[in-house]
Amino acid sequence: MKIAIVSAALSALLLAAGAASAATPACQAARTQVEVSHIQRVNACTTQGPNSPLCLQSQQVENVYWQMMDAQCPAPTGMCAVQRQLYNIRSQQRQTTCQQAGSSSDPTCQAAMQHEQVAFLQVKMSCFVP
């Protein structure tokens, strides 16, 4: 039983790695833009607050880059697809929680931001690493 689970996990990792390595230069550039826009949004929302115009604008820019990445890269499969879905959930939870809290220093917002960041790192490991 354990061997089957390990084997399935390794297969998923190999599929994810294969998908990431097949990325075109346009896909790689789109992934970089997602990373940059993510960092900019985190910084804007942390320093200006979750309801600030800069934070909201940065969120929209990040969303556009995710869409561009989806258009430029192969469709997510395997573990990458799962991690993308989890990230989307965590991102929406962070946005709602922080906007309701009204401050990025609120403990519930801080926790939501940490959960989202972990999910983002999982997407990077599953989808971006060649």
Side-chain angles (χ1 to χ4, degrees):
M1 182 67 164
K2 287 182 182 180
I3 292 175
I5 293 170
V6 170
S7 177
L10 287 173
S11 295
L13 287 173
L14 290 173
L15 284 174
S21 65
T24 64
C27 175
Q28 291 290 5
R31 287 175 178 163
T32 299
Q33 290 290 18
V34 165
E35 287 189 77
V36 169
S37 65
H38 175 79
I39 292 166
Q40 290 172 336
R41 192 258 313 149
V42 168
N43 289 337
C45 295
T46 300
T47 60
Q48 302 294 313
N51 295 317
S52 73
L54 183 59
C55 174
L56 299 175
Q57 180 184 10
S58 297
Q59 182 68 59
Q60 290 174 344
V61 169
E62 183 180 0
N63 291 343
V64 167
Y65 283 121
W66 279 105
Q67 291 169 359
M68 287 176 59
M69 186 184 80
D70 289 341
Q72 294 293 327
C73 298
T77 59
M79 189 56 73
C80 174
V82 169
Q83 295 303 332
R84 278 291 302 274
Q85 289 174 348
L86 291 173
Y87 173 76
N88 290 341
I89 292 167
R90 291 292 191 192
S91 182
Q92 187 60 49
Q93 288 172 337
R94 184 260 323 143
Q95 188 173 13
T96 301
T97 299
C98 291
Q99 286 178 343
Q100 289 173 351
S103 171
S104 57
S105 60
D106 181 276
T108 58
C109 178
Q110 289 280 316
M113 289 190 302
Q114 289 173 350
H115 291 302
E116 181 197 34
Q117 190 61 25
V118 168
F120 184 76
L121 294 174
Q122 291 297 323
V123 167
K124 283 181 60 175
M125 290 183 357
S126 297
C127 305
F128 291 17
V129 177

